[in-house]
Amino acid sequence: MGSANLSTKRQRIAELARTKAGTALSTLHHVIDLEWMREAYRLTRKDGASGIDGVTAAQYEANLEANLLALLERIKSGRYVAPPVRRVYIPKADGSERPLGIPTLEDKVAQRAIVMVLEPIYEQEFLSCSFGFRPGRSAHQALSALRLAFMGRQGLRWVLDVDISKYYDTIQHHHLRAFLDRRVTDGVIRRMIDKWLKAGVLEHGLLQRTTEGTRKAASSRLCSQTSTCTMCWMNGSSGTCACASGGTASS
């Protein structure tokens, strides 16, 4: 019954987004309840490194219901404080290093809860050829779509592979907020996103506040999905394309 209820809620959000295309939705956070938080926790990866608080999934689960209730109350009341991410670096193929932000487990759960609200809305905005940061879609599917387009009647002959350098590190917050203004003005949802944008990064014991860019964390699908949708909207994508994970293959 729980999963059916959650599915119904998300379907209603999607239907609202479809019927009110081009309109900002201002009443969304009421769907977030304890059941919603349980699902957000279930969907959250629990095998990753700990954030700045050092709390593991096993420790959080020891008092799961109480922790989720407390988190829910802080989200709804506005008392939630987004912790900074813990900065680590991972090697890249070219020998350089990629900065990565490690959020706390509870912050990942909160992010997931908000993503669960936003996904049904922005799924109505994406083109069918977009595959990046979308539920049930992958880069492999993008490649399959390109293969079919080349072999089919469309007669496609070329592919453009684009990688915007440091896109997520440099996206301007006012552009992201302006894009969100077009579809989501719910106070609770927007307040949470603003808190994540301002939370900053903890590196070598020093807190760095950011005025641009989104936190490059493994769970930060929230800003990644919205940023990708922003990029596609600003580019006015049309025709046949296959966009995946921040890169774009177009034909």
Side-chain angles (χ1 to χ4, degrees):
M1 184 64 182
S3 60
N5 187 39
L6 288 170
S7 178
T8 299
K9 285 182 178 180
R10 300 190 73 183
Q11 287 172 10
R12 286 174 178 168
I13 295 173
E15 180 61 25
L16 185 65
R18 279 193 297 269
T19 57
K20 294 193 174 183
T23 301
L25 307 179
S26 60
T27 308
L28 296 166
H29 72 271
H30 64 277
V31 302
I32 305 175
D33 54 16
L34 181 58
E35 182 181 44
W36 193 274
M37 298 305 295
R38 289 193 191 107
E39 180 67 5
Y41 182 79
R42 187 187 71 80
L43 294 173
T44 298
R45 275 193 60 184
K46 304 171 185 66
D47 58 350
S50 300
I52 63 170
D53 61 359
V55 174
T56 65
Q59 292 170 325
Y60 199 80
E61 285 181 6
N63 201 15
L64 183 59
E65 289 289 296
N67 285 333
L68 292 179
L69 275 171
L71 177 58
L72 174 63
E73 191 280 328
R74 280 177 283 139
I75 290 173
K76 291 287 189 78
S77 68
R79 293 192 304 108
Y80 182 76
V81 178
V85 295
R86 179 170 63 87
R87 172 70 76 221
V88 297
Y89 292 88
I90 57 174
K92 296 175 64 175
D94 62 4
S96 62
E97 292 184 318
R98 182 190 304 276
L100 188 68
I102 308 296
T104 66
L105 177 71
E106 184 169 75
D107 198 51
K108 288 193 287 186
V109 176
Q111 284 188 35
R112 176 59 61 183
I114 301 302
V115 165
M116 287 165 58
V117 177
L118 294 180
E119 274 184 346
I121 299 170
Y122 286 106
E123 277 298 300
Q124 317 313 310
E125 304 291 324
F126 281 112
L127 296 174
S128 61
C129 60
S130 177
F131 293 85
F133 300 108
R134 293 182 64 187
R137 291 185 171 231
S138 68
H140 292 292
Q141 291 175 325
L143 291 173
S144 295
L146 283 174
R147 182 175 180 273
L148 290 173
F150 273 91
M151 296 179 65
R153 296 180 179 178
Q154 292 169 282
L156 303 183
R157 293 291 180 268
W158 55 269
V159 173
L160 176 64
D161 184 9
V162 178
D163 184 9
I164 302 178
S165 178
K166 298 184 182 298
Y167 174 70
Y168 294 113
D169 295 330
T170 59
I171 185 171
Q172 296 183 2
H173 291 177
H174 70 275
H175 283 161
L176 189 58
R177 292 188 180 100
F179 180 75
L180 284 164
D181 285 342
R182 295 166 56 88
R183 293 300 270 145
V184 179
T185 55
D186 180 282
V188 171
I189 304 297
R190 294 297 299 272
R191 184 168 60 218
M192 289 294 289
I193 294 173
D194 270 346
K195 289 183 178 187
W196 283 313
L197 289 175
K198 297 174 183 177
V201 175
L202 191 65
E203 184 173 6
H204 303 306
L206 298 176
L207 178 61
Q208 303 172 15
R209 298 292 184 183
T210 54
T211 57
E212 65 177 11
T214 62
R215 307 192 301 173
K216 189 170 289 183
S219 70
S220 198
R221 184 174 182 170
L222 171 66
C223 288
S224 297
Q225 185 188 53
T226 309
S227 301
T228 302
C229 196
T230 306
M231 184 167 57
C232 290
W233 169 72
M234 289 191 299
N235 288 339
S237 298
S238 61
T240 302
C241 63
C243 309
S245 302
T248 306
S250 306
S251 50

